[in-house]
Amino acid sequence: MDFTFISGQLFTGLSVGSILLLAALGLALSFGLMRVINMAHGEFLMVGGYLTYLAAQWAGPTLGDAWLWAAFPLAFLGAALLGAVMEFTVIRRLYGRPLDTLLATFGISLILQQAARQLFGSTGVPVTAPAWLGGALQLGDVTLPFVRLFVIALALIVLGGMWWLLNRSRFGMHVRAVNQNREMAAALGVNTRSLDLLVFALGAGVAGVAGVGLALIAPVNPTVGAAYIVNAFLVVVVGGVGSVLGGAVAAVLLGFVTALAEGFTSVSLAQAILLVLIVAFLQWKPRGLIPTKSRALEEA
């Protein structure tokens, strides 16, 4: 068994897991807090990718390689604004009706995909990474591209920021209170409707940041979000619904398993192996790796 090959696959799995983590963070928040099955969440990632492409086209000629730093706030704010509009106009009217939210958000995802086709075409648009991300770190026979190391570092920074926000800020205290007991939190003065809007927009914005990382390693196309949404849901379920730390561990594990299985088999067979392993795992731990305490989840 080739150590270099396995090391390369594990590194690829870690970078893929980083994208999955960023995509799943918003799902963990929205489903954990609002019990919303958002099938359009992958399209926030797609929007972030296309906004990264626009930032490279518009800011690249004037800012040079610094265009990337303009892409992050643009992708975050653009995806967050779209998420806020979606929550205010559609999701808010469907709380407590998970099947209706699933169907509604699936329809929204199809609309957004078709809008992307009309604006950018059906083929992927490439984003050229800055020159300082063009090299690679050589560790013996293992090559670690700088761009994938950057994506991993990005995921760690966002994960750390989300952990601080949810565990060390007043906003996070309100989120945890509503997650544990919505009625009691509302009785104590927490504006749950405004909190739902902010959390949904925050999750969408984080997915937009994931789109920046994805755009650096692969072309952006109208269906790129749909390709990640299923695995992002798997990360949420395996990690524990509403658990940020559990989602991080699950994203890395799923990335490793997928990369190794694809290295020794085919893509389709690797996905089948992954699903079988997840089903077996959930038989053992049905609430995930690190379950959160929530009255709503216990009553569901």
Side-chain angles (χ1 to χ4, degrees):
M1 194 174 292
D2 190 349
F3 173 77
T4 302
F5 172 76
I6 293 177
S7 300
Q9 289 298 110
L10 288 176
F11 177 71
T12 300
L14 184 59
S15 63
V16 172
S18 299
I19 299 292
L20 277 178
L21 170 60
L22 294 174
L25 280 175
L27 280 177
L29 288 173
S30 62
F31 187 71
L33 184 71
M34 296 172 279
R35 317 294 175 248
V36 171
I37 303 174
N38 182 15
M39 295 301 294
H41 189 78
E43 277 55 56
F44 297 139
L45 187 148
M46 175 197 73
V47 168
Y50 277 122
L51 289 176
T52 303
Y53 168 74
L54 293 177
Q57 296 296 309
W58 295 342
T62 56
L63 298 180
D65 288 344
W67 68 263
L68 182 59
W69 307 118
F72 284 113
L74 179 63
F76 178 84
L77 293 175
L81 179 61
L82 177 62
V85 171
M86 185 187 302
E87 197 279 340
F88 186 77
T89 57
V90 179
I91 303 299
R92 179 168 296 190
R93 292 160 174 77
L94 300 176
Y95 284 137
R97 297 152 60 186
L99 292 180
D100 290 343
T101 58
L102 188 151
L103 292 174
T105 55
F106 179 70
I108 292 173
S109 73
L110 295 180
I111 293 172
L112 293 175
Q113 289 177 30
Q114 188 58 40
R117 288 190 183 92
Q118 294 296 323
L119 293 173
F120 300 98
S122 58
T123 57
V125 293
V127 176
T128 303
W132 51 275
L133 289 177
L137 178 65
Q138 197 72 30
L139 296 179
D141 294 330
V142 181
T143 301
L144 309 178
F146 287 151
V147 65
R148 290 188 177 271
L149 288 172
F150 180 80
V151 170
I152 295 171
L154 173 65
L156 290 175
I157 292 171
V158 173
L159 178 64
M162 291 292 292
W163 180 88
W164 180 89
L165 184 65
L166 293 176
N167 293 279
R168 293 291 185 267
S169 69
R170 185 177 181 85
F171 171 79
M173 181 178 65
H174 287 173
V175 170
R176 286 181 282 116
V178 172
N179 188 40
Q180 291 175 11
N181 194 320
R182 176 177 289 267
E183 291 76 15
M184 182 61 72
L188 293 174
V190 177
N191 189 333
T192 57
R193 286 302 188 192
S194 296
L195 191 69
D196 289 339
L197 176 63
L198 290 174
V199 168
F200 198 87
L202 175 63
V206 172
V209 173
V212 180
L214 180 63
L216 294 175
I217 60 178
V220 182
N221 60 65
T223 60
V224 67
Y228 277 84
I229 186 64
V230 173
N231 283 345
F233 271 113
L234 293 179
V235 167
V236 173
V237 173
V238 172
V241 174
S243 173
V244 173
L245 180 59
V249 176
V252 173
L253 290 177
L254 263 65
F256 283 163
V257 171
T258 302
L260 287 175
E262 289 180 357
F264 292 102
T265 60
S266 62
V267 174
S268 57
L269 183 57
Q271 192 68 22
I273 292 172
L274 179 66
L275 291 174
V276 170
L277 291 175
I278 289 175
V279 169
F281 171 79
L282 292 177
Q283 295 296 315
W284 173 49
K285 290 183 72 70
R287 296 189 63 187
L289 285 169
I290 307 177
T292 56
K293 294 181 179 179
S294 171
R295 182 177 179 181
L297 285 176
E298 290 172 357
E299 292 175 350

